[in-house]
Amino acid sequence: GDRIFVLVTSISDADAKSLSKHEGYLDLSGLTTLSDAAAESLSKYQGELSLGYELQRKVDSLKSGKEAS
């Protein structure tokens, strides 16, 4: 799949939803904030996702919640 690098510090909820459908590598490590709705969308992402530590934990916790249910 393609590699996408997003060099911004924030993204909209709609952008996160759109990016969550990408197939391949997604680098969002420049993000410093992520809304709950955006994190929810990114938690559905099936490819390799790169985020900063705190945001990765936020997304991973939502993924874990889905796997547990």
Side-chain angles (χ1 to χ4, degrees):
D2 292 332
R3 296 171 71 89
I4 292 182
F5 296 86
V6 180
L7 303 173
V8 295
T9 57
S10 64
I11 58 174
S12 70
D13 296 346
D15 289 339
K17 187 173 185 176
S18 178
L19 287 169
S20 73
K21 297 174 182 158
H22 170 69
E23 293 182 12
Y25 178 77
L26 184 56
D27 185 333
L28 301 174
S29 58
L31 293 180
T32 56
T33 62
L34 196 60
S35 72
D36 291 344
E40 178 72 27
S41 290
L42 292 175
S43 74
K44 298 172 185 167
Y45 183 64
Q46 297 296 311
E48 185 180 349
L49 178 63
S50 176
L51 289 166
Y53 180 74
E54 288 300 322
L55 297 181
Q56 187 73 56
R57 286 184 55 196
K58 183 175 186 175
V59 169
D60 287 349
S61 72
L62 291 167
K63 277 186 182 180
S64 298
K66 287 183 185 62
E67 292 168 3
S69 33

